[in-house]
């Protein structure tokens, strides 16, 4: 994998009302990353309105990316509303390796 990355900035409401559009954007970025042999870095503004559909989309995107040989990471640890959604959903289990994608911005 190349040192270069495709960077996707997600901002604005990231909720069930917008997730279809967000999914389409993520798919395009994943395809571009695969074509260019690059990693995909996703930047999420934790101060935005976020619901459970975002982490669900990211989990699905990570699986698709793994099949395509693309590493997906977050640009920074989850914070703000994003972190709150992850906690409420039970997606942070205290396992450092499993939680590292969300809390350390690392591919897991």
């Amino acid at each position: 994998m190349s040192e270069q990355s495709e960077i996707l900035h997600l901002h604005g409401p990231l909720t069930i009302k917008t997730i279809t559009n967000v999914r389409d954007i993520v798919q395009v970025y994943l395809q571009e990353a695969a074509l260019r042999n690059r990693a995909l870095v996703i930047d999420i503004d934790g101060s935005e309105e976020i619901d459970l559909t975002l982490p669900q989309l990211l989990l699905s995107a990570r699986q698709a990316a793994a099949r395509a040989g693309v590493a997906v990471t977050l640009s920074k640890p989850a914070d703000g509303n994003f972190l709150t959604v992850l906690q409420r959903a039970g997606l942070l289990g205290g396992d450092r390796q499993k939680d590292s994608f969300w809390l350390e911005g690392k591919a897991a």
Side-chain angles (χ1 to χ4, degrees), residues 46-59:
S47 67
E48 298 289 351
E49 183 181 358
I50 295 172
D51 69 16
L52 184 56
T53 58
L54 180 65
Q56 290 172 327
L57 173 66
L58 294 176
L59 289 170

Side-chain angles (χ1 to χ4, degrees), residues 13-47:
L14 301 167
T15 65
I16 196 165
K17 293 179 182 178
T18 62
I19 206 66
T20 300
N21 291 335
V22 174
R23 179 205 60 212
D24 293 345
I25 293 166
V26 169
Q27 286 177 336
V28 168
Y29 272 78
L30 279 175
Q31 290 170 352
E32 285 297 314
L35 286 172
R36 296 178 179 184
N37 196 29
R38 294 180 175 179
L40 176 61
V41 177
I42 302 174
D43 179 39
I44 298 168
D45 183 350
S47 67

